[in-house]
Amino acid sequence: MDRLNESRIGAVLTDTFAVRASMGTASSLHAQHGVGILVGLDSDVTVTGPDGARVSGRVVVVPPHLPHAASCPGPTLGFLYDPERASHVAGYSRLRGGAFPLEGRLAARFGAALAAHRASLSHPESLDGLAREYAAWLAKESPRREPDGRVARVLEVLRDPEADRRPVVERIGISQAHLQALFVRDVGLPIRTFQLWHRLLVAVAASARLDATNAAHFAGFADLAHFSRTCRRMLGYTPTALRSGLLAV
């Protein structure tokens, strides 16, 4: 597991999920290839769409590729799940066709788990445990949708932003155009955008040990400006804001 933060900062990044603890949330409009679960510790989280429509709640679920801005005036936990490696979480997030507040029994379970860990939310181990616990509960509530087997094989290759997909495509025997159509259908975005998303994740992880410019170059971005634009478009923050906003709760 890579840590995004210094020892006192509450944040983790794994292959399946990322968790960020902050003293407040105020993202710009963005759309991420990931399932967002936003939890307000003391106040409601508000998710606003491009048309101004708002969804608020103590726990709000945001499906992949949904343009939105998120805000919360108080301490917040943000969970971001990989929609392929946590397909059960992705399935649950799509149940209502947009962002929605968690309610009823599940909301109570989320709240109880959070209360039990609240004193240790600055520790990555606690955040990791919460992310796994939440995912396990959602797995029991959601439909599971597996991608086409040919897409699944390409997905594993593309997790390396520099990977060449051509040998895999040749082995599975379909055209680039057919693969692109299957990929968009099952994953929800074009192959090049998927690779850009993973390049962004590499850069964000690298910013734990490098300055923003070197993190951008390490991940293969042309320059810091490209990294910053991509970060705002896909995560709703500049690289600097992401790093400096990671405060112990």
Side-chain angles (χ1 to χ4, degrees), residues 180 183-184 187-195:
Q180 186 74 259
F183 199 92
V184 171
V187 180
L189 74 173
I191 290 173
R192 289 186 66 181
T193 307
F194 181 87
Q195 289 180 296

Side-chain angles (χ1 to χ4, degrees), residues 68-191:
H68 71 284
S71 63
C72 182
T76 313
L77 290 185
F79 298 84
L80 186 65
Y81 290 91
D82 183 290
E84 287 77 50
R85 290 184 168 163
S87 58
H88 49 286
V89 180
Y92 183 83
S93 75
R94 296 186 180 104
L95 288 177
R96 301 194 195 178
F100 59 92
L102 203 63
E103 299 169 335
R105 174 177 50 84
L106 265 179
R109 293 184 75 179
F110 269 55
L114 185 59
H117 290 278
R118 175 143 187 173
S120 58
L121 292 181
S122 61
H123 301 298
E125 295 78 9
S126 295
L127 297 177
D128 180 89
L130 276 173
R132 295 178 190 278
E133 196 167 15
Y134 288 177
W137 293 340
L138 295 181
K140 300 176 182 178
E141 305 287 336
S142 64
R144 193 179 185 95
R145 187 184 70 183
E146 299 292 346
D148 182 285
R150 294 165 293 185
V151 173
R153 290 166 66 182
V154 174
L155 275 169
E156 284 306 309
V157 174
L158 295 180
R159 290 182 186 281
D160 176 358
E162 303 301 327
D164 182 358
R165 65 179 181 271
R166 288 174 296 182
V168 177
V169 176
E170 290 173 3
R171 287 198 297 272
I172 62 180
I174 62 175
S175 68
Q176 290 283 350
H178 189 191
L179 172 63
Q180 186 74 259
L182 290 175
F183 199 92
V184 171
R185 182 197 70 185
D186 289 357
V187 180
L189 74 173
I191 290 173

Side-chain angles (χ1 to χ4, degrees), residues 34-45:
V35 181
I37 299 179
L38 303 171
V39 185
L41 276 66
D42 300 320
S43 308
D44 282 356
V45 174

